[in-house]
Amino acid sequence: MIGRLRGTLAEKQPPHLILDVNGIGYELEVPMTTLYRLPAVGEPVTLHTHLVVREDAHLLYGFAEKRDRELFRELIRLNGVGPKLALALMSGLEVDELVRCVQAQDTSVLVKIPGVGKKTAERLLVELKDRFKAWETMPSIATLVVEPRGTVAVSSAENDAVSALISLGFKPQEASRAVSAVQEENLSSEDLIRRALKGMV
């Protein structure tokens, strides 16, 4: 129903954001890999979207690239994978990293994602192997990652980073430890999340 939104980034509270489109604020949830590519608040941005309709809510998910959205759609088609787990997988791994895990049938990285045990990881890799055949020849999106602009107060950035990791399924103590371990002065919340996830996954 809603496939793409173009507007001004009004709020950024990882992993949630509000996109102002002609005065209407759309609330979206995004994977961390998309969050890293977002401009500063107040800047224009275009996101590819996927709408999930539930009995109790309409949830809008946003992605920097069409390829990211296609991966999300592939993941939620799998048995036992909902939007929350799909976002956790996409937040911990770039698309190309996930493709490499599938090619090698390597569960070691996947089991570090919250909500993914060894059996789930093995099942995901088997189910994704055929689906990813077409993805292996697609150009890498890793080169599209840009450093986020602007910084926020350290305490606020730290809190935002911890909250984002908790929303992805990490335990509060795990999230706090991971952020504290990578904390440096003047790092934005996006940088803290990126470094913390790298340390955990």
Side-chain angles (χ1 to χ4, degrees):
M1 181 181 172
I2 301 173
R4 187 181 69 176
L5 290 173
R6 180 185 293 130
T8 303
L9 187 57
E11 290 182 30
K12 187 162 51 171
Q13 192 75 28
H16 302 279
L17 56 90
I18 293 180
L19 193 63
D20 186 322
V21 182
N22 297 322
I24 300 173
Y26 289 90
E27 186 176 322
L28 302 97
E29 191 166 348
V30 300
M32 294 303 123
T33 45
T34 286
L35 186 82
Y36 304 148
R37 301 179 191 135
L38 291 177
V41 170
E43 296 285 330
V45 67
T46 299
L47 291 173
H48 301 278
T49 59
H50 180 85
L51 179 66
V52 173
V53 178
R54 298 192 329 212
E55 283 185 15
D56 59 340
H58 287 202
L59 305 171
L60 198 58
Y61 298 91
F63 307 92
E65 302 290 326
K66 276 187 178 179
R67 191 179 192 225
D68 296 355
R69 184 181 63 186
E70 294 312 309
L71 172 60
F72 178 79
R73 288 174 172 172
E74 289 289 350
L75 289 171
I76 62 175
R77 285 190 190 110
L78 301 177
N79 185 33
V81 178
K84 184 178 175 67
L85 181 54
L87 284 187
L89 286 163
M90 294 180 68
S91 292
L93 298 167
E94 287 281 355
V95 175
D96 297 290
E97 292 175 313
L98 184 53
V99 169
R100 281 193 291 274
C101 283
V102 173
Q103 287 174 323
Q105 293 291 287
D106 179 9
T107 62
S108 62
V109 176
L110 291 185
V111 294
K112 294 177 183 176
I113 305 289
V116 180
K118 188 164 174 40
K119 286 185 178 178
T120 302
E122 290 171 349
R123 180 174 55 77
L124 287 177
L125 291 178
V126 169
E127 291 185 27
L128 285 171
K129 191 165 188 179
D130 290 334
R131 292 174 183 264
F132 274 17
K133 291 274 186 225
W135 289 62
E136 295 168 8
T137 56
M138 293 179 73
S140 170
I141 61 166
T143 55
L144 298 177
V145 177
V146 295
E147 290 299 317
R149 287 176 285 171
T151 58
V152 293
V154 172
S155 59
S156 174
E158 210 170 334
N159 289 336
D160 287 350
V162 171
S163 295
L165 292 175
I166 291 171
S167 74
L168 290 172
F170 289 101
K171 293 174 183 173
Q173 288 181 330
E174 284 180 324
S176 294
R177 272 200 306 268
V179 172
S180 295
V182 298
Q183 173 66 340
E184 290 179 21
E185 193 174 351
N186 293 328
L187 282 181
S188 67
S189 57
E190 290 92 338
D191 280 328
L192 286 171
I193 294 164
R194 189 204 310 260
R195 293 184 183 196
L197 278 171
K198 284 292 181 189
M200 296 167 89
V201 175

